[in-house]
């Protein structure tokens, strides 16, 4: 009966190559750890149903049969986090013989980079905390954003820091100021190191300020453009490595059509007349080259560089999938 939970109708068997079973778990599923396949290649994750709405997550070693319950996630370098029976959390080094505990936390670990752990605090005014593993210092955070190998942290003391998530190196350390109790912040770290920050009213959720920061500090304050455009966003960098943004606005006389302008770091329009424009995710497998974005202009749609030249385009009346009826 596949209308019920699939785990009730599946099971996991670990066996030798000759077919000899060494482990079985009913009402379970399993998957390999691809995040860190070199150091944890002998481990798999088992989701084993223990009740109608409860599941045990087990990190299982297929060579030794070792089982570590309460598994949460893995991190680079063979580290993994676990929940404990008393409601706490542990970060362990799975490459050591004793699976040694590196640190313990009262809140759920959400991010790790060398030397630091970010925890998610469900019941706190500051939803995140940064834990320095070498000193034990804990810093309350307003917001966290991860993009590729960059992680941005906005702290209660007003500091905005960007770290290299692969090495733990500090790349940006600027003062972005503190926010009031009546404000909420949205943070977006870009792959090239710029940080897009939006401050919103906690009750109405209307945008109060839009700022962009880089290693040198405040790069752009686009707050005044919020009344001009329906939506503002980060686009890409120009040929000189400076940030470009995009703003969309409604087309007069149309209830659904929009126009799109490309803006420089001062908020001046450097390209207009686009129907739409946006960037691909920088860390996706099909990411576009630097200084290139997706655009629609007139009856054409494709990839455009920051000088306004098409690298590739096709008519909006044609489609690579002729039967999808999506226009392009």
């Amino acid at each position: 009966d596949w209308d019920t939970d699939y785990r009730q109708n599946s099971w996991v068997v670990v066996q030798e190559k000759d077919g000899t079973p060494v482990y079985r778990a009913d009402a379970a599923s399993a998957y390999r750890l691809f995040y860190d396949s070199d150091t944890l290649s002998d481990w798999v994750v088992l989701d084993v149903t223990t009740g109608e709405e409860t599941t045990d997550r087990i990190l299982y070693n297929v060579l030794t049969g070792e089982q570590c319950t309460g598994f949460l996630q893995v991190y680079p370098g063979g580290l993994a986090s676990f929940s404990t029976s008393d409601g706490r959390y542990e970060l362990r080094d799975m490459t050591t013989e004793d699976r040694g505990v590196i640190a313990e936390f009262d809140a759920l670990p959400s991010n790790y980079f060398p030397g630091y752990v970010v925890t998610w605090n469900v019941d706190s005014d500051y939803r995140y905390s940064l834990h320095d593993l070498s000193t034990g210092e804990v810093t309350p955070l307003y917001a966290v954003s991860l993009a590729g190998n960059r992680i941005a942290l906005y702290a209660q003391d007003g500091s905005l820091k960007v770290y290299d998530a692969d090495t733990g190196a500090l790349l940006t350390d600027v003062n972005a100021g503190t926010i009031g109790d009546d404000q909420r912040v949205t943070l977006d770290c870009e792959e090239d190191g710029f940080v897009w920050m939006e401050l919103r009213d906690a009750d109405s959720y209307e945008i109060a300020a839009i700022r962009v920061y880089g290693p040198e500090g405040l790069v752009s304050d686009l707050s005044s453009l919020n009344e001009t455009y329906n939506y503002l966003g980060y686009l890409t960098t120009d040929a000189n490595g400076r940030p470009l943004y995009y703003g969309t606005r409604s087309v007069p006389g149309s209830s659904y059509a929009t126009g799109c302008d490309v803006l420089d770091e001062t908020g001046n329009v450097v390209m207009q007349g686009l129907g739409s424009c946006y960037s691909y995710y920088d860390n996706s497998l099909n990411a576009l080259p630097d200084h290139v974005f997706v655009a629609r202009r007139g009856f054409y749609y494709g990839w455009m560089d920051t000088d306004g030249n098409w690298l590739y385009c096709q008519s909006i009346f044609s489609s690579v999938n002729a039967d999808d009826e999506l226009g392009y």
Side-chain angles (χ1 to χ4, degrees), residues 301-321:
Y301 176 88
W303 303 333
M304 182 178 287
D305 67 18
T306 52
D307 292 324
N309 303 311
W310 287 119
L311 300 188
Y312 163 82
C313 65
Q314 66 183 40
S315 169
I316 64 173
F317 301 109
S318 64
S319 171
V320 293
N321 297 312

Side-chain angles (χ1 to χ4, degrees), residues 141-195:
L141 303 175
Y142 287 125
V144 178
S145 179
L146 180 68
N149 66 338
R150 298 286 188 269
I151 184 168
L153 309 171
Y154 182 28
Q156 178 187 4
D157 62 5
S159 63
L160 176 64
K161 298 181 180 182
V162 179
Y163 291 86
D164 185 312
D166 294 333
T167 66
L170 180 62
L171 306 176
T172 296
D173 186 0
V174 299
N175 190 339
T178 59
I179 64 175
D181 294 336
D182 58 344
Q183 290 182 317
R184 295 293 181 267
V185 62
T186 301
L187 204 66
D188 283 316
C189 182
E190 306 298 334
E191 187 111 345
D192 47 34
F194 292 104
V195 179

Side-chain angles (χ1 to χ4, degrees), residues 70-90:
F71 169 73
L72 296 173
Q73 66 184 76
V74 294
Y75 309 95
L79 305 185
S81 58
F82 297 84
S83 60
T84 64
S85 58
D86 59 357
R88 291 173 57 79
Y89 302 91
E90 294 177 343

